[in-house]
Amino acid sequence: MTVHKIGKKITGYEVVSAEKAAAEAKASAPQLQQIHESLDRPEVLLGSTYKIKTPMSEHALYVTINDIVLNQGTEHEERWPFEVFINSKNMDHFQWVVALTRVISAVFRKGGDVTFLVDEMKAVFDPQGGYFKPGGKFMPSLVAEIGDAIESHMKMIGLIKDEGLSEHQMKLINEKRAEYEKLNGGSAAKAAAADSGFPPDAHLCNKCNTKAVVILDGCQTCLNCGDSKCG
């Protein structure tokens, strides 16, 4: 037990409760800058541009996402998407593209959990059918690919955690790929020449939406994410 000697006359005292101590600590803590609708647009924003080239149009779309830096220079510094623009020579989609970018930008500036936009956009299907991106990934619509670009950006700035594949999963996939190429020696060269890097006769994986499913030992196995119907 520690004994403190009081050298001055006691003029008053107060018992500090845990709640009051916590409130005082919170009041003395620095106020962190947060995103909100009334936040003024800075003169300079950090931007990233993503190119979208679909087989549905001869002209590409360029999705530019500008980020605001909150609490710059502190340990709480973070990038937050502030606005989005989509440019293209193709004017067929001009009206809904402008409307979409304005709505997305408004949601960004509203704050809160904005990652739901990715799921909503990637769930949009084109009644005329989707298409495959280079690499074999299936896109159900142009809106879904715009959502995919936004997801990539959110992963890049840390809003969405990119879990990726574990070391064990990567090892398993490499083993499956080597096994398939050994059984189908002629397909290995074709796979290397293919845009996707996967065998040309591969099927679409329902888990990762990539055309990378092959048959191994009578079992459907994805060479991209490792998903297998046999567990």
Side-chain angles (χ1 to χ4, degrees):
M1 180 177 178
T2 304
V3 178
H4 297 280
K5 184 178 179 180
I6 301 175
K8 296 182 179 180
K9 185 178 179 180
I10 298 176
T11 58
Y13 69 91
E14 179 184 4
V15 178
V16 180
S17 64
E19 292 79 5
K20 185 175 181 179
E24 290 178 351
K26 184 177 180 180
S28 61
Q31 295 296 319
L32 298 179
Q33 185 183 24
Q34 296 182 340
I35 191 74
H36 52 82
E37 292 176 288
S38 58
L39 185 65
D40 293 333
R41 185 188 189 280
E43 292 292 331
V44 179
L45 294 174
L46 300 178
S48 301
T49 300
Y50 302 84
K51 180 180 179 180
I52 295 177
K53 183 69 175 72
T54 76
M56 304 165 62
S57 173
E58 61 176 324
H59 299 295
L61 277 78
Y62 297 89
V63 181
T64 300
I65 305 174
N66 292 330
D67 302 326
I68 186 173
V69 180
L70 301 174
N71 307 300
Q72 190 169 7
T74 70
E75 60 179 342
H76 302 288
E77 180 176 313
E78 65 174 340
R79 288 176 62 173
W80 188 274
F82 191 81
E83 60 191 12
V84 59
F85 301 99
I86 300 178
N87 297 308
S88 177
K89 291 182 179 179
N90 186 355
M91 302 299 291
D92 294 341
H93 310 297
F94 179 77
Q95 293 185 65
W96 69 260
V97 164
V98 171
L100 182 66
T101 55
R102 290 184 179 181
V103 170
I104 294 174
S105 298
V107 173
F108 284 164
R109 290 192 286 269
K110 187 77 173 178
D113 183 10
V114 298
T115 59
F116 76 93
L117 283 171
V118 171
D119 295 329
E120 295 294 336
M121 295 178 70
K122 291 176 69 175
V124 175
F125 288 82
D126 189 335
Q128 297 181 355
Y131 54 88
F132 286 95
K133 290 177 58 178
K137 188 173 183 179
F138 179 73
M139 284 294 150
S141 66
L142 176 58
V143 174
E145 187 162 3
I146 295 173
D148 187 66
I150 294 176
E151 180 181 34
S152 298
H153 185 78
M154 287 184 173
K155 287 180 178 179
M156 188 264 290
I157 65 176
L159 269 186
I160 296 179
K161 291 185 178 180
D162 188 5
E163 298 178 355
L165 298 175
S166 66
E167 185 177 346
H168 174 72
Q169 289 174 315
M170 287 298 299
K171 182 180 178 181
L172 178 63
I173 291 174
N174 291 334
E175 290 176 353
K176 294 293 185 181
R177 181 186 286 268
E179 181 182 350
Y180 182 83
E181 292 179 355
K182 184 178 180 181
L183 294 174
N184 303 270
S187 299
K190 294 180 182 178
D195 292 337
S196 65
F198 300 109
D201 56 345
H203 301 289
L204 182 66
C205 175
N206 293 326
K207 183 177 181 180
C208 66
N209 285 336
T210 303
K211 200 174 181 182
V213 175
V214 297
I215 305 297
L216 284 174
D217 298 328
C219 182
Q220 291 185 337
T221 304
C222 179
L223 298 178
N224 182 60
C225 67
D227 183 56
S228 175
K229 297 299 181 183
C230 301

Coordinates of all heavy atoms in Angstrom, one line a residue, residues 108-170:
F108 N -21.0 8.4 -50.6 CA -19.7 8.5 -50.1 C -19.6 9.6 -49.1 O -19.0 9.5 -48.0 CB -18.6 8.8 -51.2 CG -18.3 7.5 -52.0 CD1 -17.7 7.7 -53.3 CD2 -18.6 6.3 -51.6 CE1 -17.4 6.6 -54.0 CE2 -18.3 5.2 -52.4 CZ -17.7 5.3 -53.6
R109 N -20.1 10.8 -49.4 CA -20.0 11.9 -48.5 C -21.0 11.9 -47.3 O -20.8 12.6 -46.4 CB -20.3 13.2 -49.3 CG -19.2 13.6 -50.3 CD -19.4 14.9 -50.9 NE -20.5 15.0 -51.9 CZ -20.3 14.9 -53.2 NH1 -19.1 14.6 -53.7 NH2 -21.3 15.0 -54.0
K110 N -21.9 10.9 -47.4 CA -22.8 10.8 -46.3 C -22.1 10.1 -45.1 O -22.5 10.4 -43.9 CB -24.0 9.9 -46.7 CG -25.1 9.7 -45.7 CD -26.0 11.0 -45.7 CE -27.2 10.8 -44.8 NZ -28.1 12.0 -44.7
G111 N -21.1 9.3 -45.4 CA -20.4 8.6 -44.3 C -21.0 7.3 -43.9 O -22.0 6.8 -44.6
G112 N -20.5 6.7 -42.8 CA -21.1 5.4 -42.4 C -20.4 4.3 -43.2 O -19.4 4.4 -43.8
D113 N -21.1 3.2 -43.2 CA -20.6 2.0 -43.9 C -21.1 2.1 -45.4 O -22.2 1.9 -45.7 CB -21.2 0.7 -43.3 CG -20.6 -0.5 -44.0 OD1 -19.7 -0.4 -44.8 OD2 -21.1 -1.6 -43.7
V114 N -20.1 2.5 -46.3 CA -20.5 2.7 -47.7 C -20.1 1.4 -48.5 O -20.4 1.4 -49.7 CB -19.8 3.9 -48.3 CG1 -20.2 5.1 -47.5 CG2 -18.2 3.7 -48.2
T115 N -19.6 0.4 -47.9 CA -19.2 -0.8 -48.6 C -20.4 -1.6 -49.2 O -20.2 -2.4 -50.1 CB -18.3 -1.7 -47.7 OG1 -19.1 -2.1 -46.6 CG2 -17.1 -1.0 -47.2
F116 N -21.6 -1.3 -48.7 CA -22.8 -2.0 -49.2 C -23.0 -1.7 -50.7 O -23.6 -2.5 -51.4 CB -24.0 -1.6 -48.4 CG -24.6 -0.3 -48.7 CD1 -25.6 -0.1 -49.7 CD2 -24.1 0.9 -48.1 CE1 -26.1 1.1 -50.0 CE2 -24.6 2.1 -48.4 CZ -25.6 2.2 -49.4
L117 N -22.5 -0.6 -51.1 CA -22.6 -0.3 -52.5 C -22.1 -1.3 -53.5 O -22.6 -1.6 -54.5 CB -21.9 1.1 -52.8 CG -22.6 2.4 -52.4 CD1 -21.7 3.5 -52.6 CD2 -23.9 2.6 -53.2
V118 N -21.0 -1.9 -53.0 CA -20.3 -2.9 -53.8 C -21.2 -4.1 -54.0 O -21.4 -4.6 -55.2 CB -19.0 -3.4 -53.2 CG1 -18.4 -4.6 -53.9 CG2 -18.0 -2.2 -53.2
D119 N -21.8 -4.6 -53.0 CA -22.7 -5.8 -53.1 C -23.9 -5.5 -53.9 O -24.3 -6.4 -54.7 CB -23.1 -6.3 -51.7 CG -21.9 -6.8 -50.8 OD1 -21.0 -7.3 -51.4 OD2 -21.9 -6.6 -49.6
E120 N -24.5 -4.3 -53.7 CA -25.7 -4.0 -54.5 C -25.4 -3.9 -56.0 O -26.1 -4.4 -56.8 CB -26.2 -2.6 -54.0 CG -26.7 -2.7 -52.5 CD -27.9 -3.6 -52.4 OE1 -28.7 -3.8 -53.4 OE2 -28.2 -4.0 -51.2
M121 N -24.2 -3.3 -56.3 CA -23.9 -3.1 -57.7 C -23.5 -4.4 -58.4 O -23.9 -4.7 -59.5 CB -22.8 -2.1 -57.9 CG -23.2 -0.7 -57.5 SD -21.9 0.6 -57.6 CE -21.7 0.7 -59.4
K122 N -22.8 -5.3 -57.7 CA -22.3 -6.5 -58.2 C -23.5 -7.5 -58.4 O -23.3 -8.5 -59.1 CB -21.2 -7.1 -57.4 CG -19.9 -6.3 -57.4 CD -18.8 -6.9 -56.5 CE -18.3 -8.2 -56.9 NZ -17.2 -8.7 -56.1
A123 N -24.6 -7.2 -57.8 CA -25.8 -8.1 -57.9 C -26.7 -7.7 -59.1 O -27.7 -8.4 -59.3 CB -26.6 -8.1 -56.6
V124 N -26.3 -6.7 -59.8 CA -27.1 -6.3 -61.0 C -26.8 -7.1 -62.2 O -25.6 -7.3 -62.6 CB -26.8 -4.8 -61.3 CG1 -27.6 -4.4 -62.6 CG2 -27.2 -3.9 -60.1
F125 N -27.8 -7.7 -62.8 CA -27.7 -8.6 -63.9 C -28.2 -7.9 -65.2 O -29.3 -7.3 -65.1 CB -28.3 -9.9 -63.7 CG -27.6 -10.8 -62.7 CD1 -27.8 -10.6 -61.3 CD2 -26.8 -11.8 -63.1 CE1 -27.2 -11.4 -60.4 CE2 -26.1 -12.6 -62.2 CZ -26.3 -12.4 -60.9
D126 N -27.5 -8.1 -66.3 CA -28.0 -7.6 -67.6 C -28.9 -8.6 -68.2 O -28.5 -9.8 -68.4 CB -26.8 -7.3 -68.5 CG -27.2 -6.6 -69.7 OD1 -28.4 -6.7 -70.1 OD2 -26.3 -5.9 -70.3
P127 N -30.2 -8.3 -68.6 CA -31.1 -9.3 -69.2 C -30.5 -9.8 -70.5 O -31.0 -10.9 -70.9 CB -32.4 -8.5 -69.4 CG -32.0 -7.0 -69.3 CD -30.8 -7.0 -68.4
Q128 N -29.6 -9.1 -71.1 CA -29.0 -9.6 -72.4 C -27.9 -10.5 -72.1 O -27.3 -11.0 -73.1 CB -28.6 -8.4 -73.2 CG -29.7 -7.5 -73.7 CD -29.3 -6.3 -74.5 OE1 -28.1 -6.1 -74.7 NE2 -30.2 -5.5 -75.0
G129 N -27.5 -10.7 -70.9 CA -26.4 -11.6 -70.6 C -25.1 -10.8 -70.2 O -24.9 -9.7 -70.6
G130 N -24.3 -11.5 -69.4 CA -23.0 -10.9 -69.0 C -21.9 -11.2 -70.0 O -22.1 -11.6 -71.1
Y131 N -20.7 -11.1 -69.4 CA -19.5 -11.3 -70.3 C -18.3 -11.7 -69.3 O -18.4 -11.5 -68.1 CB -19.1 -10.1 -71.1 CG -19.0 -8.8 -70.3 CD1 -17.8 -8.5 -69.7 CD2 -20.1 -8.0 -70.0 CE1 -17.7 -7.3 -68.9 CE2 -20.0 -6.8 -69.3 CZ -18.8 -6.5 -68.7 OH -18.7 -5.4 -68.0
F132 N -17.2 -12.2 -70.0 CA -16.0 -12.5 -69.2 C -15.0 -11.4 -69.4 O -14.7 -11.0 -70.5 CB -15.5 -13.9 -69.7 CG -16.3 -15.1 -69.3 CD1 -17.3 -15.6 -70.1 CD2 -16.1 -15.6 -68.0 CE1 -18.0 -16.7 -69.7 CE2 -16.8 -16.7 -67.6 CZ -17.8 -17.3 -68.4
K133 N -14.4 -11.1 -68.3 CA -13.3 -10.1 -68.3 C -12.0 -10.9 -68.7 O -11.9 -12.1 -68.5 CB -13.1 -9.5 -66.9 CG -14.1 -8.6 -66.4 CD -13.8 -8.1 -65.0 CE -12.5 -7.4 -64.9 NZ -12.2 -6.9 -63.5
P134 N -11.0 -10.2 -69.1 CA -9.7 -10.8 -69.3 C -9.2 -11.4 -67.9 O -9.2 -10.7 -66.9 CB -8.7 -9.7 -69.7 CG -9.7 -8.7 -70.4 CD -11.0 -8.8 -69.6
G135 N -8.9 -12.7 -68.0 CA -8.6 -13.4 -66.7 C -9.6 -14.4 -66.4 O -9.5 -15.2 -65.5
G136 N -10.7 -14.4 -67.2 CA -11.8 -15.4 -67.0 C -12.8 -15.1 -66.0 O -13.7 -15.9 -65.7
K137 N -12.8 -13.9 -65.4 CA -13.8 -13.6 -64.4 C -15.1 -13.1 -65.0 O -15.1 -12.3 -65.9 CB -13.3 -12.5 -63.4 CG -14.2 -12.2 -62.2 CD -13.6 -11.3 -61.2 CE -14.5 -11.1 -60.0 NZ -13.9 -10.2 -59.0
F138 N -16.2 -13.7 -64.6 CA -17.5 -13.4 -65.2 C -18.1 -12.1 -64.6 O -18.1 -11.9 -63.4 CB -18.5 -14.5 -65.0 CG -19.9 -14.3 -65.6 CD1 -20.0 -14.3 -67.0 CD2 -20.9 -14.0 -64.8 CE1 -21.3 -14.1 -67.5 CE2 -22.2 -13.8 -65.3 CZ -22.4 -13.8 -66.7
M139 N -18.6 -11.2 -65.4 CA -19.3 -10.0 -65.0 C -20.8 -10.1 -65.5 O -21.0 -10.1 -66.7 CB -18.6 -8.8 -65.5 CG -17.4 -8.4 -64.8 SD -17.7 -8.0 -63.1 CE -16.2 -8.5 -62.3
P140 N -21.7 -10.1 -64.6 CA -23.1 -10.2 -65.0 C -23.7 -8.9 -65.7 O -24.7 -9.0 -66.4 CB -23.9 -10.5 -63.7 CG -23.0 -9.9 -62.6 CD -21.6 -10.1 -63.1
S141 N -23.0 -7.8 -65.6 CA -23.4 -6.6 -66.2 C -22.3 -5.5 -66.1 O -21.3 -5.7 -65.4 CB -24.7 -6.0 -65.5 OG -24.4 -5.6 -64.2
L142 N -22.5 -4.4 -66.8 CA -21.6 -3.3 -66.8 C -21.6 -2.7 -65.4 O -20.6 -2.3 -64.9 CB -22.0 -2.3 -67.9 CG -21.1 -1.0 -67.9 CD1 -19.7 -1.3 -68.1 CD2 -21.6 -0.1 -69.0
V143 N -22.8 -2.5 -64.8 CA -22.9 -2.0 -63.5 C -22.1 -2.8 -62.5 O -21.5 -2.3 -61.6 CB -24.4 -1.9 -63.1 CG1 -24.5 -1.4 -61.6 CG2 -25.2 -0.9 -64.0
A144 N -22.2 -4.1 -62.7 CA -21.5 -5.0 -61.8 C -20.0 -4.8 -61.9 O -19.2 -4.9 -60.9 CB -21.8 -6.5 -62.1
E145 N -19.5 -4.5 -63.1 CA -18.0 -4.3 -63.2 C -17.6 -3.0 -62.7 O -16.5 -2.8 -62.1 CB -17.6 -4.4 -64.7 CG -16.1 -4.3 -64.9 CD -15.6 -4.8 -66.2 OE1 -16.4 -5.2 -67.1 OE2 -14.4 -4.9 -66.4
I146 N -18.5 -2.0 -62.7 CA -18.2 -0.7 -62.1 C -18.1 -0.9 -60.6 O -17.2 -0.4 -59.9 CB -19.3 0.3 -62.4 CG1 -19.3 0.7 -63.9 CG2 -19.1 1.6 -61.6 CD1 -20.4 1.6 -64.3
G147 N -19.0 -1.8 -60.0 CA -19.0 -2.1 -58.6 C -17.7 -2.9 -58.3 O -17.1 -2.7 -57.2
D148 N -17.2 -3.7 -59.2 CA -16.0 -4.5 -59.0 C -14.8 -3.5 -58.9 O -13.9 -3.7 -58.1 CB -15.8 -5.5 -60.1 CG -14.6 -6.4 -59.9 OD1 -14.7 -7.2 -59.0 OD2 -13.6 -6.3 -60.7
A149 N -14.8 -2.5 -59.8 CA -13.8 -1.4 -59.7 C -13.8 -0.7 -58.4 O -12.7 -0.4 -57.8 CB -13.9 -0.5 -60.9
I150 N -15.0 -0.4 -57.9 CA -15.1 0.3 -56.6 C -14.6 -0.6 -55.5 O -14.0 -0.1 -54.6 CB -16.6 0.8 -56.4 CG1 -16.9 1.9 -57.4 CG2 -16.7 1.3 -55.0 CD1 -18.4 2.3 -57.4
E151 N -14.9 -1.9 -55.6 CA -14.5 -2.8 -54.6 C -12.9 -2.9 -54.6 O -12.3 -2.9 -53.5 CB -15.0 -4.2 -54.8 CG -14.6 -5.2 -53.8 CD -15.1 -6.6 -54.1 OE1 -15.3 -6.9 -55.3 OE2 -15.4 -7.4 -53.2
S152 N -12.3 -2.9 -55.7 CA -10.8 -2.9 -55.8 C -10.3 -1.7 -55.2 O -9.2 -1.7 -54.5 CB -10.4 -3.0 -57.3 OG -10.9 -4.2 -57.9
H153 N -10.9 -0.5 -55.4 CA -10.4 0.7 -54.8 C -10.6 0.7 -53.3 O -9.7 1.1 -52.5 CB -11.2 1.9 -55.4 CG -10.7 3.2 -54.9 ND1 -9.5 3.8 -55.4 CD2 -11.1 4.1 -54.0 CE1 -9.3 4.9 -54.8 NE2 -10.3 5.2 -54.0
M154 N -11.7 0.2 -52.8 CA -11.9 0.2 -51.3 C -10.9 -0.8 -50.7 O -10.5 -0.5 -49.5 CB -13.4 -0.3 -51.1 CG -14.4 0.8 -51.4 SD -16.1 0.3 -50.9 CE -17.0 1.8 -51.2
K155 N -10.6 -1.8 -51.3 CA -9.6 -2.7 -50.8 C -8.2 -2.1 -50.8 O -7.4 -2.2 -49.8 CB -9.5 -4.0 -51.6 CG -10.7 -5.0 -51.5 CD -10.5 -6.2 -52.3 CE -11.7 -7.2 -52.1 NZ -11.5 -8.4 -53.0
M156 N -7.9 -1.3 -51.8 CA -6.7 -0.6 -51.9 C -6.5 0.5 -50.7 O -5.4 0.6 -50.2 CB -6.5 0.1 -53.2 CG -5.2 0.7 -53.5 SD -5.0 2.5 -53.2 CE -6.1 3.1 -54.5
I157 N -7.6 1.2 -50.4 CA -7.4 2.2 -49.3 C -7.8 1.6 -48.0 O -7.7 2.4 -47.0 CB -8.4 3.4 -49.6 CG1 -9.8 3.0 -49.6 CG2 -8.0 4.0 -51.0 CD1 -10.8 4.2 -49.8
G158 N -8.1 0.4 -47.9 CA -8.3 -0.3 -46.6 C -9.7 -0.3 -46.0 O -10.0 -0.7 -44.9
L159 N -10.7 0.2 -46.8 CA -12.1 0.2 -46.4 C -12.7 -1.3 -46.3 O -13.5 -1.6 -45.5 CB -13.0 1.0 -47.3 CG -13.2 2.5 -46.9 CD1 -14.2 3.2 -47.8 CD2 -13.6 2.6 -45.4
I160 N -12.2 -2.1 -47.3 CA -12.6 -3.5 -47.3 C -11.3 -4.3 -47.1 O -10.3 -4.1 -47.8 CB -13.3 -3.9 -48.6 CG1 -14.6 -3.1 -48.8 CG2 -13.5 -5.4 -48.7 CD1 -15.3 -3.4 -50.1
K161 N -11.4 -5.2 -46.2 CA -10.2 -6.1 -45.9 C -10.1 -7.2 -47.0 O -11.1 -7.9 -47.2 CB -10.3 -6.7 -44.6 CG -10.1 -5.7 -43.4 CD -10.1 -6.5 -42.1 CE -9.9 -5.5 -40.9 NZ -9.9 -6.2 -39.6
D162 N -9.0 -7.2 -47.7 CA -8.7 -8.2 -48.7 C -8.1 -9.4 -48.0 O -6.9 -9.5 -47.8 CB -7.8 -7.6 -49.8 CG -7.6 -8.6 -51.0 OD1 -8.4 -9.6 -51.0 OD2 -6.8 -8.3 -51.9
E163 N -9.0 -10.4 -47.8 CA -8.6 -11.6 -47.0 C -7.6 -12.4 -47.9 O -6.7 -13.0 -47.5 CB -9.8 -12.4 -46.6 CG -10.7 -11.7 -45.6 CD -11.9 -12.5 -45.2 OE1 -12.1 -13.6 -45.8 OE2 -12.7 -12.0 -44.4
G164 N -8.0 -12.5 -49.2 CA -7.1 -13.3 -50.1 C -7.1 -14.8 -49.7 O -7.9 -15.3 -49.0
L165 N -6.1 -15.5 -50.3 CA -6.0 -16.9 -50.1 C -4.9 -17.1 -49.1 O -3.8 -16.4 -49.1 CB -5.7 -17.6 -51.4 CG -6.8 -17.6 -52.4 CD1 -6.3 -18.3 -53.7 CD2 -8.1 -18.3 -51.9
S166 N -5.1 -18.1 -48.2 CA -4.0 -18.4 -47.2 C -2.9 -19.2 -47.9 O -3.0 -19.6 -49.0 CB -4.6 -19.2 -46.1 OG -5.0 -20.5 -46.6
E167 N -1.8 -19.3 -47.2 CA -0.6 -20.0 -47.7 C -1.0 -21.5 -48.0 O -0.6 -22.0 -49.0 CB 0.5 -19.9 -46.7 CG 1.8 -20.6 -47.3 CD 3.0 -20.4 -46.3 OE1 2.8 -19.6 -45.3 OE2 4.0 -21.1 -46.4
H168 N -1.8 -22.0 -47.1 CA -2.3 -23.4 -47.3 C -3.1 -23.5 -48.6 O -3.0 -24.5 -49.4 CB -3.0 -23.9 -46.1 CG -3.7 -25.2 -46.3 ND1 -2.9 -26.4 -46.3 CD2 -5.0 -25.6 -46.5 CE1 -3.7 -27.5 -46.5 NE2 -5.0 -27.0 -46.6
Q169 N -4.0 -22.6 -48.8 CA -4.9 -22.6 -50.0 C -4.1 -22.4 -51.3 O -4.4 -23.1 -52.3 CB -6.0 -21.5 -49.9 CG -7.0 -21.8 -48.8 CD -8.0 -20.6 -48.6 OE1 -7.5 -19.5 -48.5 NE2 -9.3 -20.9 -48.6
M170 N -3.1 -21.5 -51.2 CA -2.3 -21.3 -52.4 C -1.5 -22.6 -52.8 O -1.4 -23.0 -53.9 CB -1.3 -20.2 -52.2 CG -2.0 -18.8 -52.2 SD -2.7 -18.4 -53.8 CE -1.3 -18.5 -54.9

